[in-house]
Every structure is written in structure tokens, then in C-alpha cells.
Amino acid sequence: MKRLIEKGLMFGNLIEVSSPALVDRYRRALRHLTGKDTALTDFHIDISGYSPEIGMELDDPLYLNPNGVNRQFILLTTEQKRAPLLNAKFSFSRQVLREFIEQNESKLFALTTRDAVAGELQNSVLMANTPARLMDIRRIVTEADTTGGDVANARELTAKIERFKTEEDAWWDDVLIAEMIGLAKETGDVTRNPVDLEMTTTEVPNYWTAHFGGLYVWRDVEHPAVIASGAVPEIGGVEAFSMSARNRVAAFLDLNHLVEPIVKARGTDASAILRQKMDFIVVDAAASTGQSLQGATRRDLRMIARGLGADLPEAYLGLADLVRWIDGGGDWPKIDSKHPAYFYTLRGGAHMYRDLVNQMLAELAPLDVRQLFICHKELFYGLYKGWEDGKRGFVADFLDEEYQVDKAGTRAALFGPEPGMTPPGPPQEDPEPQARPPRRRNPQRMVELVGPWGAVKRGR
């Protein structure tokens, strides 16, 4: 993992904490939340305030995430909103934290100039001891305060000010006035400079969780289901099946209008994207046979592919057939959900659950290491440890040289513009369809005639 850390591909964009004042604030917040302490004088934190160095010191990677369910957080600066979330147990946690910081940014900026802000992502589940308990996670409430209780004191002062203004004879209540003066010394003038933090509530209808080997919980779709990376759980009232049941997964994605074929996506260079996926498949095949990948270029990978010949994976051959068709030199390939290339040909549609769909597709097509790194870092790091050293080196160099230089541009090219809050649904027809030549080579027309692939069987 050292190679990834050196290139900023692991623990990248963390916030450095090295000044004595910030370290002291962090320690106070840590004791306030957990009762634990650290002897470190410099370390790094993620968006939630989790530090991998302190996690190692305490021998507890979940010291801010008890039971892996209710994530606690420590904010020292609003700049944490740009940091990643390490050891994520739920796909929604980072987005919820970022939204909380952005909605309260000016107040948090003022509060963190003198103290740390500590809080928790609260839900009704304290322990996920059974898969069925995960179905109760529907709403996340984010609440926070400084370790000195500035927000609570400000709320109390505000209430007392209201009493002072409205209650009869409050002008002569010496106790009330003394309490107001005492609180004002702690909070300042809350009438001019409010320090209250807005408590946010976030609905989480669909999500991924690392619990129980990895589960994708889909509730807010036309055909709900729980899809398991490991053992299939028993959850009453909801259909559950394994990620390895490729036909059922494909039917689920199709019936709920969650995916679109890359060849049909507008403004996308489908041929270039699929060729890159083919290169990643060759890299895996070459590494497994002990071939050197040091400094390998695309030309080198083509030579390796020719050398492998009949030993090329079926996924590579399927994508090659599709690229030939896109370029106008081959017949329409028959790629159904049983074909190893099938999930490599899809991406999440332009809807509010796009990122979760792309995370699931990354798990279904793990040889596409670029999408795996972007969409499912937890799985990427886990698989990386088991790769041959040649593949680890190639992938680290590729991500450093090809992805790190333009992250936003790469994501837009692969997955399209950032989706809005549109729910998934059947694709909309163009209001004024453009005339298309009746030639077989037009990929858009052919896809519209046969559907995404015309090969997903909807039965079990």
C-alpha cells in the first residue's frame, strides 16, 4: 500500500493537524466523544475527523464509529469537507457530512476558530446485529456542538432573552438577568452573531453498507431488493439475492431503469472507454502469467494481447467485438447477462442514484480498475493487496498519471455530468427525433431498435 500512499491514491487530501492549538482542541473533542485520548502531536484527519495514525495508536479503526453504525465526527476546520471518508461503513455517510458542513459553513467557520465541533450521524439503529436491522435505517439526523457547549449555551441564552422580552415583570427578575449575563460572557451577542447550528435530516432510501459482507439495499425503486456481495441474508418482505446471480442482477437493473449502455450514452466516446477497459483486462491476464508490465504502453498491451491469442479472457473478446461494431467493421455482438463482458458495457443512468449504481457495477466488473478506484475504494484497496506486484505498479502509475491530473474531467467523460434529483425511470424519447440513415452502422439507431442488448431474460 506504500506505493498508493506515496502517489496520493490512499490517504490523499487528508487534513494535517500539527499546531499545538488544533491538537489540543482535537484531544478535548476526542475525550468528549469517546473518553479516549491520544499522545500524538501531529496527525491527519478525514472529513469526519478520523485519523488513521490515531486509529493505529488506539488499535481501533472504529474509534469514531462505535458498532460501525452511528458515525461520530470532529470538525477542526470547514476545509474537511474536501477530505475523503476513511473506513466507510455506509455509502451515504460522506455526503451527509459534507452537506452538514456546507449548510452550516459560516457558523462552523466562526465556531472552529476557538473550539472543535463534535457531533454524530444519528439514526434509530444502535447496532446492526442482524441484516433485518439495516432495513430500519431510513433517516439520518446530524447534530453537533462545540466541546464547550457553545451551541447549547446560545440556545439557552436565546430562550432566556425571549422570556425577558415577553414575560411580565422580567425586568425585575435579577436571577434571570444574571443568568443571561453569565451565558453572554460565554457566547457573545447571539442576537447579532447567532451561533446555533442547523440540525439536518437526510433521507436514505437506497444505500450500500459494508456490514454482513457487503449489501446493496434498494427500497426506493419500482422493484425493491437487497443484493449481497457475500452470503444472502434473510430479510422478511424484501427479495434478496447474490451479486453472483448475474441474470437476476441484470434484470433488476433493467426493470428499475438504473443503467444505460455506454454505446448509447450521449456525448460519450464509447469506443475509447471500452478500449481502456480492454487494456485493464489485458493487464490482469498478463500479470497472472508473470509478464512484465513495467512502463507498458498501450502499444505494449496490444502486443501482449496478440501473444495471449486464444488465452485472452472472454470479457476482452466480447468488448473487442463491440468496439469493432462501433467502429463500423463488425456485426452486432450478442452479449447477454451471462457473458463476462456484459456489466463492463453499462454505466449508471442520469438519475439521483447514479453513483450507487456505478459502485455496484464496479463490483460486478472489477477488472476495470479505474472505475473500481473511483466508485468503490473500499473494494479497490481490498483487491489491491492480492494483486501481483506488476499489476499493482501498473495500476498505481496509471491512476497517478491518467486520473489524478483531471479527476473531474475523467468522471464526466466516464459517467456523464453530475446527476440532479431525478428518480430513475424509462428513457425519454427525443421531442423532435432526428432523421437517421437506415444503415446498420449507426450505433444509436441499432441500440434503439433492440433495446440495451435485447438479451436480458427477466425470469429467475
Side-chain angles (χ1 to χ4, degrees):
M1 311 302 282
K2 181 180 179 182
R3 185 185 282 125
L4 295 179
I5 296 173
E6 290 175 345
K7 293 181 180 295
L9 297 168
M10 188 175 187
F11 303 144
N13 295 327
L14 295 180
I15 304 297
E16 182 181 7
V17 181
S18 56
S19 74
L22 290 181
V23 171
D24 183 61
R25 290 175 195 171
Y26 186 92
R27 293 181 63 189
R28 289 202 308 271
L30 183 60
R31 292 192 296 267
H32 173 75
L33 285 177
T34 69
K36 301 176 182 179
D37 201 353
T38 177
L40 300 181
T41 57
D42 61 272
F43 45 88
H44 297 79
I45 58 174
D46 69 1
I47 187 174
S48 73
Y50 169 78
S51 167
E53 296 99 327
I54 295 177
M56 293 180 63
E57 178 194 23
L58 300 176
D59 192 24
D60 183 7
L62 296 178
Y63 73 88
L64 281 183
N65 194 11
N67 302 319
V69 177
N70 292 277
R71 187 107 190 189
Q72 298 172 308
F73 59 89
I74 298 172
L75 300 179
L76 298 179
T77 169
T78 55
E79 288 302 304
Q80 285 175 237
K81 69 179 183 180
R82 296 183 174 86
L85 178 66
L86 306 180
N87 298 330
K89 293 297 182 182
F90 292 94
S91 58
F92 53 74
S93 297
R94 184 178 185 276
Q95 184 62 30
V96 171
L97 273 169
R98 184 180 178 109
E99 288 176 358
F100 173 77
I101 295 172
E102 290 178 341
Q103 289 177 20
N104 293 279
E105 190 154 7
S106 60
K107 298 174 184 177
L108 286 170
F109 181 82
L111 290 170
T112 54
T113 58
R114 56 184 181 180
D115 200 357
V117 172
E120 183 177 351
L121 305 185
Q122 304 172 1
N123 63 65
S124 59
V125 176
L126 297 178
M127 290 189 65
N129 51 350
T130 66
R133 293 291 290 155
L134 295 171
M135 303 303 291
D136 295 330
I137 299 176
R138 297 180 178 275
R139 182 176 297 163
I140 304 299
V141 177
T142 309
E143 192 169 12
D145 197 350
T146 63
T147 55
D150 289 340
V151 174
N153 290 338
R155 289 173 182 168
E156 184 180 356
L157 177 57
T158 300
K160 291 183 183 297
I161 291 173
E162 187 64 23
R163 278 183 56 198
F164 183 77
K165 290 180 177 179
T166 58
E167 288 186 4
E168 189 176 355
D169 298 331
W171 287 88
W172 292 274
D173 189 337
D174 293 337
V175 175
L176 176 60
I177 294 172
E179 290 174 346
M180 290 168 57
I181 293 172
L183 288 170
K185 290 179 180 179
E186 298 292 331
T187 65
D189 187 351
V190 295
T191 61
R192 294 186 179 182
N193 301 295
V195 294
D196 196 16
L197 289 174
E198 183 179 340
M199 185 173 63
T200 61
T201 301
T202 307
E203 302 293 331
V204 287
N206 306 317
Y207 62 87
W208 167 87
T209 175
H211 292 282
F212 304 103
L215 299 174
Y216 292 86
V217 179
W218 292 95
R219 293 179 298 203
D220 189 27
V221 290
E222 187 176 353
H223 303 277
V226 173
I227 303 176
S229 302
V232 179
E234 293 184 8
I235 301 177
V238 181
E239 183 182 17
F241 52 89
S242 172
M243 190 80 76
S244 61
R246 295 174 61 87
N247 186 258
R248 294 182 70 181
V249 174
F252 167 83
L253 294 172
D254 181 49
L255 288 170
N256 290 301
H257 312 291
L258 293 173
V259 294
E260 64 179 358
I262 294 173
V263 298
K264 191 179 180 181
R266 296 185 180 185
T268 298
D269 189 346
S271 179
I273 292 174
L274 295 176
R275 287 179 188 277
Q276 186 64 74
K277 292 174 184 280
M278 292 166 59
D279 287 347
F280 293 142
I281 295 173
V282 171
V283 167
D284 182 76
S288 64
T289 58
Q291 298 188 51
S292 174
L293 292 167
Q294 185 174 3
T297 63
R298 171 158 285 180
R299 180 175 179 275
D300 297 328
L301 294 178
R302 285 199 298 269
M303 292 179 62
I304 292 173
R306 285 195 291 269
L308 289 171
D311 294 328
L312 280 168
E314 191 175 355
Y316 179 96
L317 299 176
L319 293 180
D321 289 341
L322 185 55
V323 169
R324 261 192 303 276
W325 175 78
I326 293 172
D327 293 343
D331 296 326
W332 173 250
K334 303 297 182 181
I335 300 177
D336 61 19
S337 60
K338 295 180 181 179
H339 196 293
Y342 180 77
F343 291 109
Y344 289 93
T345 68
L346 303 175
R347 74 177 193 179
H351 51 71
M352 61 194 300
Y353 306 131
R354 184 197 69 176
D355 292 345
L356 185 60
V357 174
N358 283 331
Q359 179 179 345
M360 197 163 79
L361 289 174
E363 189 167 343
L364 290 161
L367 296 184
D368 183 354
V369 291
R370 177 172 57 183
Q371 178 161 335
L372 188 66
F373 179 78
I374 296 171
C375 302
H376 202 337
K377 283 187 173 58
E378 297 295 319
L379 181 59
F380 175 88
Y381 294 136
L383 294 177
Y384 180 91
K385 297 176 184 177
W387 291 342
E388 293 82 359
D389 189 66
K391 180 176 179 178
R392 288 200 296 261
F394 178 90
V395 170
D397 289 342
F398 175 87
L399 293 174
D400 182 42
E401 298 167 6
E402 302 289 336
Y403 172 64
Q404 295 266 75
V405 295
D406 185 12
K407 297 179 182 180
T410 299
R411 288 194 294 267
L414 292 175
F415 312 123
E418 287 298 314
M421 298 303 291
T422 305
Q428 300 295 315
E429 296 294 332
D430 293 336
E432 297 180 3
Q434 299 296 314
R436 296 183 177 91
R439 292 175 62 84
R440 173 194 59 81
R441 291 183 181 179
N442 188 318
Q444 294 281 67
R445 181 60 178 160
M446 177 59 72
V447 171
E448 289 171 4
L449 288 173
V450 302
W453 292 120
V456 176
K457 299 177 183 179
R458 303 193 179 204
R460 295 190 179 182

